[in-house]
Amino acid sequence: MKYIIQPLTVAVSLLVGAQAQAQEWNYSGSIYLFTAETTTGVGDQSATLSFSDALDNLDMAFMGAFEANNGQWGFIVDYMLTDIGFDDSTPGTAFGDVDVSVKTQILTAYLTYRLYDTGTVKTDILGGARWYDTKSTLRLSAGTSPSEQRQVSDSWTDPVIGARTTFAINDKWWGGAMFDYGGMDDRETWQVLLTANYTFNDNWVASIGYRHIDVNNDEDGRDYSFEQSGPIFGVRYSF
């Protein structure tokens, strides 16, 4: 009898251990600086602000992310808040300068699934949603046309799908690439993130890279666009 019970005991122990391991979750929190050029458009008018000018005109900003995974399943939440105001010139002679006020919040949440894992290369598929909230105002001074004010104050949520790949370069450096795309009806959003990452220890990782995020909403003749591109710097703590 013991020759039956003993193998069964070992098998159950291995199963319980594997189950416990599968349910072990790992967490990380990140803060980052997105040094982006920002372009905002309402109708046929748009304005662009460089990052150096954004620092001079910045009223408030916060950027951070939280991630959890158990090896195969996980989730990511990324949040950005920016509040800036600036002046820019307009093309042509219809208007003079444009005074721009832009407050945006972007919250993206993904459910992740590990599709491929060799230890060196890991690939996840992503599915989730992006919530975008804006209060954008363009005040156009008079040119050949009278002065005008255009405003978009709204929020909406779009489904997004994507993929993420990380690959080890050596025992300290590793790279990452992520892309997502989504939208609904006359709305469209997409994002690209490329990073080089340095592991200090089991807890701390520093990152440098490039990010582009694009949001367009032509629903109900709104003709609104928001675009940010530029270097990104961050630090992540795992626990």
Side-chain angles (χ1 to χ4, degrees), residues 24-51:
E24 183 180 347
W25 285 81
N26 301 302
Y27 306 94
S28 65
S30 307
I31 56 173
Y32 59 88
L33 177 63
F34 186 21
T35 61
E37 179 180 88
T38 302
T39 300
T40 304
V42 180
D44 59 353
Q45 296 293 328
S46 64
T48 299
L49 180 70
S50 68
F51 175 72

Side-chain angles (χ1 to χ4, degrees), residues 60-81:
M60 185 190 312
F62 175 81
M63 304 168 188
F66 178 80
E67 180 172 355
N69 67 78
N70 67 353
Q72 188 170 31
W73 289 97
F75 63 89
I76 304 170
V77 178
D78 180 271
Y79 177 73
M80 292 195 303
L81 165 67

Side-chain angles (χ1 to χ4, degrees), residues 18-28 67-75 111-119 121-126 164 166 239:
Q19 186 75 11
Q21 186 176 7
Q23 294 177 350
E24 183 180 347
W25 285 81
N26 301 302
Y27 306 94
S28 65
E67 180 172 355
N69 67 78
N70 67 353
Q72 188 170 31
W73 289 97
F75 63 89
L111 180 66
T112 70
Y113 179 77
R114 179 64 45 82
L115 192 66
Y116 180 78
D117 189 348
T118 66
V121 179
K122 302 175 183 180
T123 300
D124 300 327
I125 55 174
L126 316 172
R164 176 180 66 170
T166 61
F239 54 96

